[in-house]
Amino acid sequence: MRLSPHFSHHEKGGGMKGCIFCKIVDKEIVSKIVYEDDDLIAFHDINPLAPVHILLVSKKHIENILGMTDEDAKLAAGLLFAANEIAKKFNIDKSGFRLIINCNSDGGQEVFHLHAHLIGGAPLGKMC
Ligand code: 5GP
Ligand code: ZN
C-alpha cells in the first residue's frame, strides 16, 4: 500500500510508519548489510535477479528520486560513489554491472523509499 506523502517525513532513519526500508534502516527488520555510511545503507535484495543484487537505500525516507531536493545533493553523489565501492567489493567492477532506480508505476517501483539496485555477476542482456 502506498501511504500519502502527507505522512512522510525526512528524518534520517526516522522510521516512516509502514515503510519496510525505514524498518531495515532502523534495524527493526534484519537484512544482510554490506555497506553503511551517514546517508545510506546497502544490503542484499531478498529476491536477487542476478548473482549480485544489492539495494542502496537512503537513510532518510524519500519516496523516490522525484522527492529529492537540493538538500539531497550529497546523498545523490554518495549513492554513486557507494555503488562503485560495493561493485569493487563484490568484484563485479571489471566484469560490469547495472545500477537501476525504478520510479513510479511504469518504472515498476514497488517500495516507495528511495533505492538503487546494483546488479551484476552475470551478463544481464539488453535493457528491459
Ligand atoms: P523496486 O521494485 O521498488 O525498485 O524494488 C524493491 C526491491 O526490494 C525488490 O527487488 C524486492 O525484492 C526488495 N525487497 C522488498 N522487501 C525486502 C525486504 O524485506 N528485504 C530485502 N532485503 N529486500 C526486499
Ligand atoms: Zn521509508
Side-chain angles (χ1 to χ4, degrees):
M1 187 189 69
R2 193 174 166 188
L3 295 174
S4 158
H6 176 73
F7 295 108
S8 70
H9 63 85
H10 295 268
E11 296 306 311
K12 256 182 209 173
M16 184 187 153
K17 224 168 183 260
C19 175
I20 192 139
F21 284 179
C22 281
K23 290 192 175 120
I24 289 176
V25 167
D26 289 342
K27 294 171 181 150
E28 284 170 34
I29 291 179
V30 174
S31 66
K32 291 197 241 165
I33 297 169
V34 301
Y35 173 92
E36 185 168 3
D37 65 26
D38 285 351
D39 297 321
L40 296 168
I41 190 166
F43 50 88
H44 289 276
D45 195 292
I46 205 165
N47 183 25
L49 301 176
V52 178
H53 187 166
I54 307 289
L55 298 173
L56 291 89
V57 176
S58 59
K59 287 194 168 174
K60 165 173 153 179
H61 181 89
I62 308 173
E63 286 206 351
N64 54 40
I65 58 166
L66 295 169
M68 295 180 88
T69 68
D70 288 354
E71 268 181 37
D72 303 311
K74 179 170 155 277
L75 161 64
L79 190 146
L80 297 180
F81 291 125
N84 254 329
E85 206 171 295
I86 297 164
K88 286 175 190 153
K89 180 170 174 169
F90 283 85
N91 206 24
I92 58 166
D93 51 324
K94 293 199 174 67
S95 51
F97 56 88
R98 196 167 284 156
L99 189 65
I100 299 169
I101 301 178
N102 295 325
C103 186
N104 281 341
S105 176
D106 283 358
Q109 184 178 4
E110 288 177 350
V111 177
F112 285 82
H113 178 131
L114 180 68
H115 60 280
H117 299 253
L118 174 67
I119 302 174
L124 299 173
K126 296 224 183 268
M127 292 280 289
C128 299

